Structures are given as C-alpha cells and as structure tokens.
Amino acid sequence: MPRELEDLPYAPYLELLTGDLEREGDYDGVHLRDATFDDVNTVGARFMESAVQQVTINDSRMDRSRYNDVWFHTVRWIGVNLAESDWFDVEVISSAMSGVPMFGSRVHQVTFHNCKLDSVNLRSATLRNVIFEDCLLREVDFAGATLKEVSFPGSELEELRFDKAQLTKVDFRQARSLGIDGGLESLRGSTISMSQLLDLAPRMAHSLGISVRD
C-alpha cells in the first residue's frame, strides 16, 4: 500500500522549503507542498529524505538531478527535462508525467502508484526493481533501455516501445492491458499471460513477416 506522509521515518524532521529551487542545490529533509514551479533550473540538484506534495512543475530543467529516499504525492511534471536523472528508493503516488524526457536515467527501487505517464522518453534508461501499480502508461518509450525485475500490476499499457531493449524478469501478467507499438522482438526475458499472448499474436506475426489467412 502507498505510504502516507506520516508513515515516512523522516516525517518528523521535514522542514518546509523556503526560497527558490536552484541549480545544483542540495535539499536534505525538505518538504515542498502546494506550489507551482515554472521554468526552474535544478540541473544536478540532489534531494534526499524529502517529500514533495501537491506540486506542479512546468517546462523546467531538472536533468542530472538525484532523488534518494524521496516521497512524491500528487505531483505533475509537464514538459520537464529529467534526462540522466537518478532515482533510488523513491515512491510516486497519484502523480503525472507528460512530455517528459528521462532518457539515460537510472530508476532503481521505485514504485509508481496510480500514476499517469504520457509520452515519457525512457530510452537507454536503466530500471531495476520498479513497480508500476494501477498506472496508465501511454506512448512510453523504453527503446534501448535495460529493465530488470519490473512489473505492472493493475496497469494499462498503451503504445509502448521496446525496440532493442533488454528485459530480465519483467512481468506483464497482471497488467490490465498490454499494448506494444514496437520492439516485440525485444520482449525476450519477460513473462506474459496466455490472454496477452493471444492479444499480441497479430502484431507478433506481422513483425516476423508471417501472413495469417484462413
């Protein structure tokens, strides 16, 4: 179950952020809430044991930023550059990403609960021990990415791309839908259900150059 703010072991020590977010800033034990940030630059910033709640970030540069033991709740990233960012031991709840480049990012021990990822670029990213639970992933690009021990329980997957991706112990079986727009040949190392296999069969046949006729 997703944790509440008071469940965080560092919750008693959080302090509301005062001032602006800055490039290469060091944010330890901060609480960001009820705020909107437009066109900010936090390139190379580090967040540790922090909470971000009811925050919207628009058209900003946050590439090469790092998040270690951070709790996100009801956060919206719209057109935010998160390329080559580093996420470790992170929980993202009831949040949304739209038009977000995250290529080359490292996403380890991260859980997304009830989130929406729309047009998120995770090309060449590394995902390890990641759970997408009850999420909507639409036009998410995993081309060239490395996925290990990733699962999608209760999630809807639409128009995902896995071209030249490397999958190890990736489990799609509990996904509510499995829509693959490219890279079916790269699904080796994943597990799907029989019903998902039947749904994917026409695309698999097409990708293999097989004509199916009665």
Side-chain angles (χ1 to χ4, degrees):
M1 293 294 294
R3 292 182 297 176
E4 298 294 335
L5 179 65
E6 56 268 22
D7 297 328
L8 304 176
Y10 50 84
Y13 313 107
L14 291 172
E15 296 183 2
L16 285 173
L17 177 69
T18 58
D20 298 325
L21 293 171
E22 298 178 352
R23 183 185 180 102
E24 298 184 353
D26 196 358
Y27 303 99
D28 193 343
V30 299
H31 189 188
L32 281 70
R33 64 171 304 160
D34 302 324
T36 297
F37 298 94
D38 296 307
D39 195 26
V40 296
N41 185 334
T42 62
V43 174
R46 183 184 74 95
F47 295 80
M48 183 174 180
E49 292 189 346
S50 297
V52 184
Q53 187 176 17
Q54 296 177 356
V55 168
T56 297
I57 308 171
N58 297 308
D59 302 316
S60 297
R61 285 200 59 186
M62 306 183 78
D63 40 310
R64 300 194 299 279
S65 51
R66 292 178 291 167
Y67 308 91
N68 191 332
D69 199 0
V70 178
W71 180 84
F72 294 96
H73 195 294
T74 326
V75 178
R76 300 176 69 222
W77 293 267
I78 311 298
V80 176
N81 185 348
L82 284 166
E84 299 180 340
S85 53
D86 198 331
W87 305 60
F88 179 77
D89 197 14
V90 171
E91 190 170 12
V92 188
I93 305 166
S94 301
S95 299
M97 293 181 171
S98 181
V100 171
M102 288 186 66
F103 55 85
S105 294
R106 293 164 295 279
V107 185
H108 295 179
Q109 291 182 211
V110 177
T111 303
F112 294 86
H113 300 277
N114 192 32
C115 293
K116 180 179 179 180
L117 283 71
D118 195 347
S119 299
V120 176
N121 181 352
L122 280 159
R123 283 176 171 258
S124 302
T126 301
L127 289 80
R128 185 186 299 269
N129 294 325
V130 177
I131 300 173
F132 297 93
E133 184 172 8
D134 297 328
C135 295
L136 171 61
L137 281 71
R138 179 185 294 129
E139 295 185 14
V140 176
D141 193 347
F142 292 103
T146 300
L147 289 77
K148 184 174 182 179
E149 297 181 5
V150 179
S151 60
F152 305 84
S155 292
E156 297 182 35
L157 313 181
E158 301 178 3
E159 300 181 59
L160 271 56
R161 301 198 65 90
F162 290 95
D163 308 81
K164 298 182 179 179
Q166 298 181 34
L167 279 60
T168 305
K169 296 182 180 179
V170 174
D171 195 339
F172 293 106
R173 287 176 295 175
Q174 296 183 55
R176 293 176 58 190
S177 62
L178 180 56
I180 308 296
D181 200 42
L184 283 169
E185 67 282 356
S186 298
L187 294 185
R188 180 176 181 177
S190 67
T191 304
I192 64 175
S193 67
M194 182 59 71
S195 61
Q196 290 170 338
L197 174 62
L198 295 175
D199 290 339
L200 290 176
R203 282 186 176 271
M204 286 183 171
H206 179 74
S207 67
L208 293 172
I210 299 172
S211 296
V212 181
R213 299 190 180 94
D214 292 330

